[in-house]
Every structure is written in structure tokens, then in C-alpha cells.
Amino acid sequence: MQSGKCQNESGMAIIMTVFVALFLLAIALAYIVCSKNSLNQSHLSQGKVKGVVVAEAGMERALWYLQNRADNDQEITEGNISGFGKYDELLKGYKDKAEAREYGVIIPEMGTNTRYAARTVEESDGDAENGKEMAIYVIGVTRQANPMGEEVS
């Protein structure tokens, strides 16, 4: 009788061990999935912040350029600013690496996959005292690979 009782308890211990192992495996998998999602989100956020920084850098450069032209009595025309990339084309094709390379201006300190383009648009609300009012539009794009091998922008 006692030998039968030992075999039943032994079988129950194996079953409990397997269930505990499966439970721990499920917890480990859930942790891995959450960690991967968190890492992806942080890389997406980093790319968005970098894009804003690039656009601001492009804006500062465009303001400096246009101010120099105004100080030297050179005409400021509407459209793409010479040497500042092609705004409309970069805006349309920013997801395409080749088009971003072709239409954007690189900022070497921020990496080769970070570019911007700027253009001016004449906008008048009737308050211009001397001459015309110009708006500056700048787009900044960045492309980077995250550790999971996917590309984020």
C-alpha cells in the first residue's frame, strides 16, 4: 500500500513542477514582450525629438540666411531657399531614403540620416510696414534603426 502512495505523490510532484515551470515561462515571455515594446517606443520618441531639433536648426539657419540677404539689400523670393533642399519634395517623400538624401540638407553633427529643407511663402495680412511679409516653412526628418532591426522615422 505504501509503495502505491509514493508513486502517486511522485507523479503529482512532476505535474506541479511542469505547471510552475510553464507559469514562470509565461511571466518571462510577458516581460520580454513588454521590454521590447518599451524599447521601440523610446526609439520612436527619440526619432521624433531629433526631427524637431533638426527642423529648429534648419529654421535658425534659414532665418540667419534671410536676415543676411535683407541686410545686404538682396531680394528674398518666394519658394525653395537656394541651398536649403526642396521642401515640397522632402515632405512628400520623407519615408523614402533615396528621396530624403536627394531633397534634404544634412546636418553632419546629427548623423547622415538627419536632414531638413526650408522654403519661404509670401503671406500678407496687411500689416507690413515696409515691403512684404514672408513665412518660413521647415521640415526636419530623421531615419534610424532600432535595436530590433526595424526602421523608425
Side-chain angles (χ1 to χ4, degrees), residues 112-126:
T112 58
N113 291 324
T114 303
R115 300 173 186 271
Y116 72 90
R119 73 176 180 142
T120 58
V121 175
E122 189 171 344
E123 292 184 353
S124 181
D125 59 5

Side-chain angles (χ1 to χ4, degrees), residues 97-153:
K97 286 183 189 178
E99 288 189 16
R101 280 190 201 104
E102 182 179 343
Y103 298 127
V105 178
I106 189 172
I107 299 178
E109 297 82 19
M110 299 191 76
T112 58
N113 291 324
T114 303
R115 300 173 186 271
Y116 72 90
R119 73 176 180 142
T120 58
V121 175
E122 189 171 344
E123 292 184 353
S124 181
D125 59 5
D127 292 338
E129 293 176 20
N130 300 327
K132 57 186 173 183
E133 296 179 359
M134 300 296 281
I136 303 171
Y137 291 90
V138 178
I139 180 174
V141 298
T142 182
R143 302 202 62 78
Q144 60 190 34
N146 69 20
M148 302 304 163
E150 301 162 353
E151 197 171 81
V152 295
S153 61

Side-chain angles (χ1 to χ4, degrees), residues 53-66:
V53 169
V54 169
E56 288 175 351
M59 178 65 75
E60 291 295 323
R61 185 167 174 248
L63 285 171
W64 171 83
Y65 175 82
L66 295 173

Side-chain angles (χ1 to χ4, degrees):
M1 275 268 179
Q2 290 222 334
S3 64
K5 189 175 181 185
C6 267
Q7 286 176 349
N8 284 344
E9 288 176 3
S10 169
M12 191 62 161
I14 290 173
I15 291 172
M16 287 302 290
T17 303
V18 168
F19 280 126
V20 168
L22 288 174
F23 178 73
L24 292 175
L25 179 64
I27 289 175
L29 287 174
Y31 177 76
I32 290 170
V33 168
C34 286
S35 296
K36 180 184 179 234
N37 288 340
S38 177
L39 188 60
N40 285 342
Q41 288 298 322
S42 67
H43 279 290
L44 285 172
S45 296
Q46 180 183 11
K48 289 176 183 176
V49 168
K50 199 172 184 182
V52 169
V53 169
V54 169
E56 288 175 351
M59 178 65 75
E60 291 295 323
R61 185 167 174 248
L63 285 171
W64 171 83
Y65 175 82
L66 295 173
Q67 185 62 52
N68 278 344
R69 287 188 66 87
D71 290 346
N72 294 322
D73 292 327
Q74 295 175 330
E75 185 179 1
I76 299 172
T77 59
E78 186 174 25
N80 288 324
I81 303 171
S82 177
F84 282 76
K86 297 180 179 176
Y87 179 90
D88 293 329
E89 287 81 358
L90 185 60
L91 183 61
K92 287 181 208 168
Y94 75 95
K95 290 187 178 182
D96 183 342
K97 286 183 189 178
E99 288 189 16
R101 280 190 201 104
E102 182 179 343
Y103 298 127
V105 178
I106 189 172
I107 299 178
E109 297 82 19
M110 299 191 76
T112 58
N113 291 324
T114 303
R115 300 173 186 271
Y116 72 90
R119 73 176 180 142
T120 58
V121 175
E122 189 171 344
E123 292 184 353
S124 181
D125 59 5
D127 292 338
E129 293 176 20
N130 300 327
K132 57 186 173 183
E133 296 179 359
M134 300 296 281
I136 303 171
Y137 291 90
V138 178
I139 180 174
V141 298
T142 182
R143 302 202 62 78
Q144 60 190 34
N146 69 20
M148 302 304 163
E150 301 162 353
E151 197 171 81
V152 295
S153 61

